[in-house]
């Protein structure tokens, strides 16, 4: 028999809690649709009902199981209706109180009945008492459960008793055969599956409770391993399926790409050349590329993307470049037009803010195939955009897009285009191995030469006057500076107001300097004009919102003041700071902050002060914020791993990865057995 848990003190007997379909609906809320789901619904914690504690020894602080005989019972009406039962064991009394009860319960506690109660014993008015314990009337010497009582995560209207019963039935009905053979299990020191599942639901009383709680018990490790293995298998299979799909072969004819390289006022860095070579090779393959190009801010990813686009275009195919914000997309548009139009490439610009007529014209040019390169925001993959021959889809800052958006762009060409994703945010190793395991990754690990590291200063707001004096002096000597407005996340209206106010204050503070303003709500032409004036040194100070975070490139600007730096995220600060230090001159970023600082803000400022390495900063950012940021887009709301924790179980992840490769290489039936079991339960492994 299963662990005979005490009946729940629910008002109704558990088995009658609602009709069958209501129970099913509640189970479904917990993600439970099958017997196997029930078996994999693991306890949150356990209660020990395997031992009886003598009443005389029960102390407050932890629930215990006691057994005593009813001496008396009484329903009291003051202060409110209460059933009070007096019980006794070996001359020790216990008072039990119920505030909600049924007449049948009053009858149950007949004098002389033997009752088992689970709860906390506390000193009360009359003596030791228990309030609303779980209880059961038992015969003398009734057997005790042999295992701990599981407490499951549940939902409203689904009692522990019913859940236990359902799960118990499932465990008895299922064979829970192992998907992995004994040899492989032994090699990894893993326990059999059935044994592990059973132990987690019904642990013996002498189990190492702590390892269960911390999920380090061998039974937990087995389940975590299985989950990770399923994920790895799914990812590897997705990867293989993609390799089996066909895409246009786009070998590099070198005409356009060489022409671009020749036209540049600089040489490609070693890292850019290598990245370009890898991508050029991918594009020549008859199956779709899906490559992530990672590189720190300013490492020159755009140029690598431009070369890839030219390769597609040189083969008579179209390319599309999608960026997450209008500003960033526009920067790309300007830069790529500057590079590619001299080569005769026909470029279209598509954004949400385009006037109807301009948009219609752009879409027509794309649809007719006249456009060779389309650049824009997510407006690029809306239904009304049709690419007759999309060979390459490029996605900048890929982690800011959802999977669906990327897929939408990828499906634009009818067939499967090659995909190049770019990101300045490195994926940590464990994530790269798990949720991103279906991507190929190339890293640009070098910045173009001639950049001088930016000196960063943290300055408290009280010392603003010193900062102003410093800026004034430098600008008089010919330097140019950015003055970044405080970030107002709540509303665009407030952000605009703040930008204008900051602009006015700065104009008053520096009557001797030419001050400009650039913000996100300006028309593209206005923005371009201000930027052009700044570049031409007609402006010495440029007040800006975080719109300059990406793309802006004015090498003579060597100073930056960031107001309310404590409000900004690490990636944002790093990107902003990357706007200076673009020339040979020494640059300075002054981060003004307001006190008191929160602990998180203090840590962020310390990191940005100490590090210049975007990858290191991203790693620290991840440590502070957790992996949700990355997975948010990738998972689009689907639950993460249920059992395994990528940080804590990194060793299991490695092992699962190796085994996935082994199983697939061996063409083993175990792989599909394993996937059937785990993918059948929850589809949370992405193939996008
Ligand atoms: P990111 O990798 O952050 O997207 P960008 O592609 O915007 O970086 O490049 C940053 C700046 O560096 C741009 O102005 C770009 O023209 C310039 N750049 C790119 N490659 C080189 C190079 N090899 N040498 C010098 N400057 C370069
Ligand atoms: Mg970029």
């Amino acid at each position: 028999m299963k662990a005979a848990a005490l009946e729940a003190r629910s008002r109704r007997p558990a088995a009658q809690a609602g009709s069958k379909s209501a129970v099913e609906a509640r189970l479904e809320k917990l993600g439970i649709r099958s017997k196997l789901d029930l078996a994999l619904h693991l306890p949150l914690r356990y209660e020990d009902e395997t031992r009886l504690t003598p009443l005389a020894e029960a102390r407050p602080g932890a629930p215990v199981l006691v057994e005593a005989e009813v001496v008396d019972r009484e329903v009291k009406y003051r202060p409110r209706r209460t059933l009070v039962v007096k019980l006794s064991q070996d001359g020790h009394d216990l008072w039990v109180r119920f505030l909600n009860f049924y007449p049948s319960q009053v009858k149950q506690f007949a004098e002389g009945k033997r009752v088992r109660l689970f709860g906390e014993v506390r000193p009360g008015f009359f003596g030791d008492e228990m309030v609303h314990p779980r209880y059961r009337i038992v015969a003398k010497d009734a057997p005790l459960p042999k295992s701990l009582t599981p407490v499951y995560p549940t939902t409203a209207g689904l009692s522990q008793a019913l859940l236990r019963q359902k799960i118990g039935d499932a465990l008895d009905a299922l064979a829970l055969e192992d998907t992995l053979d004994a040899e492989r299990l032994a090699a990894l020191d893993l326990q059999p599956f059935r044994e592990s599942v059973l132990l987690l639901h019904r642990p013996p009383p002498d189990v190492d409770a702590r390892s269960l709680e911390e999920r380090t018990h061998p039974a937990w490790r087995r389940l975590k391993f299985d989950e990770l293995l399923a994920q790895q298998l799914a990812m590897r299979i997705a990867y293989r399926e993609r390799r089996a799909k066909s895409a246009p072969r786009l070998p590099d004819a070198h005409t356009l790409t060489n022409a671009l390289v020749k036209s540049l006022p600089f040489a490609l860095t070693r890292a850019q050349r290598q990245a370009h070579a890898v991508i050029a090779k991918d594009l020549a393959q008859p199956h779709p590329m899906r490559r992530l190009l990672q590189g720190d801010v300013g490492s020159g990813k755009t140029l690598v993307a431009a070369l890839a686009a030219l390769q597609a275009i040189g083969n008579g195919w179209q390319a599309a470049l999608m960026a997450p914000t209008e500003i960033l997309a526009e920067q790309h548009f300007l830069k790529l037009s500057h590079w590619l139009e001299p080569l005769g490439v026909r470029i279209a610009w598509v954004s949400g803010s385009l006037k109807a007529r301009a948009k219609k014209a752009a879409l027509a040019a794309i649809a007719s195939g006249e456009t060779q390169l389309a650049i824009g925001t997510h407006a690029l993959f809306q239904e009304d955009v049709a690419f007759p021959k999309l060979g390459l889809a490029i996605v900048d800052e890929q982690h800011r897009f959802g999977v669906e958006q990327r897929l939408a762009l990828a499906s634009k060409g009818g067939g499967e285009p090659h995909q190049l994703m770019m990101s300045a945010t490195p994926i940590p190793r464990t994530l790269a191995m798990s949720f991103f395991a279906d991507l190929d990754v190339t890293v640009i690990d070098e910045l173009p030469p001639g950049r001088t590291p930016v000196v960063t200063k943290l300055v408290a707001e009280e010392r603003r006057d010193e900062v102003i004096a410093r800026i004034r002096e430098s600008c008089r000597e010919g330097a140019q500076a950015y003055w970044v407005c405080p970030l107002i996340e709540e509303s665009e209206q407030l952000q605009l107001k703040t930008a204008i106010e900051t602009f006015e204050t700065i104009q008053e503070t520096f009557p001797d300097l030419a001050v400009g303003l650039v913000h996100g709500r300006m028309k593209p032409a206005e923005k371009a004009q201000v930027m052009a004036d700044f570049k031409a040194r007609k402006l010495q100070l440029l007040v800006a919102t975080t719109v300059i975070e990406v793309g802006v490139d004015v090498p003579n600007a060597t100073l930056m003041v960031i107001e309310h730096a404590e409000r900004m995220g690490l990636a944002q600060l790093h990107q902003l700071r990357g706007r200076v230090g673009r020339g040979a001159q020494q640059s300075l970023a002054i981060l003004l902050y307001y006190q008191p600082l929160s602990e998180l803000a203090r840590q962020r400022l310390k990191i940005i002060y100490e590090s210049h390495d975007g990858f290191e900063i991203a790693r620290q950012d991840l440590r502070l914020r957790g992996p949700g940021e990355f997975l948010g887009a990738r998972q689009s709301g689907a639950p993460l791993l249920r059992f395994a924790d990528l940080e804590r179980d990194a060793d299991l992840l490695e092992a699962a990865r190796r085994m996935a490769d082994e199983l697939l290489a061996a063409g083993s039936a175990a792989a599909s057995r394993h996937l059937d079991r785990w993918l059948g339960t929850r589809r949370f492994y992405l193939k996008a």
Side-chain angles (χ1 to χ4, degrees), residues 266-267 269 272 297-302 335 339 448 451 553 582:
F266 49 74
T269 62
Q272 281 173 318
V297 180
S299 61
K301 296 183 290 291
T302 317
K335 183 126 236 170
W339 281 340
R451 304 245 167 109
D553 194 23
R582 304 208 138 217

Side-chain angles (χ1 to χ4, degrees), residues 35-54:
K35 284 207 173 71
L36 185 61
D37 289 340
L38 281 165
L40 293 177
H41 191 70
L42 298 181
L44 283 174
R45 59 188 178 83
Y46 304 90
E47 287 176 345
D48 190 351
E49 295 173 15
T50 64
R51 289 179 297 125
L52 282 172
T53 300

Side-chain angles (χ1 to χ4, degrees), residues 178-254:
D178 224 295
T179 49
L180 304 171
D181 59 57
E183 215 171 293
R184 287 188 202 279
L185 292 179
L188 290 171
D189 203 14
L190 289 172
Q191 312 267 310
F193 181 70
R194 180 177 170 78
E195 212 170 88
S196 302
V197 173
L198 290 182
L199 183 132
L200 291 176
H201 287 287
R202 303 165 178 170
D206 62 348
V207 73
D208 176 0
R210 193 157 161 183
S211 71
L212 275 192
E213 197 180 313
E214 292 177 351
R215 300 188 167 195
T216 51
H217 190 280
W220 265 113
R221 286 181 63 81
R222 173 61 205 266
L223 277 134
K224 290 173 172 188
F225 178 82
D226 276 26
E227 181 181 44
L228 288 168
L229 177 61
Q231 188 211 36
Q232 289 299 307
L233 285 169
M235 287 287 181
R236 304 312 278 172
I237 288 170
Y239 185 89
R240 288 170 163 222
E241 280 173 357
R242 169 162 64 81
R243 307 283 293 188
K245 279 189 192 151
S246 62
R249 270 181 197 274
L250 308 170
D252 192 3
H254 296 293

Side-chain angles (χ1 to χ4, degrees), residues 147 224 250 275 309 367 382 433 516 520 527 651 688:
S147 54
K224 290 173 172 188
L250 308 170
Q382 266 141 29
M433 278 177 61
K527 239 180 316 188
D651 62 323

Side-chain angles (χ1 to χ4, degrees), residues 558-569:
T558 53
L559 290 165
M560 174 174 282
V561 178
I562 302 178
E563 291 212 52
H564 274 291
E566 80 281 357
R567 289 186 192 165
M568 296 193 188

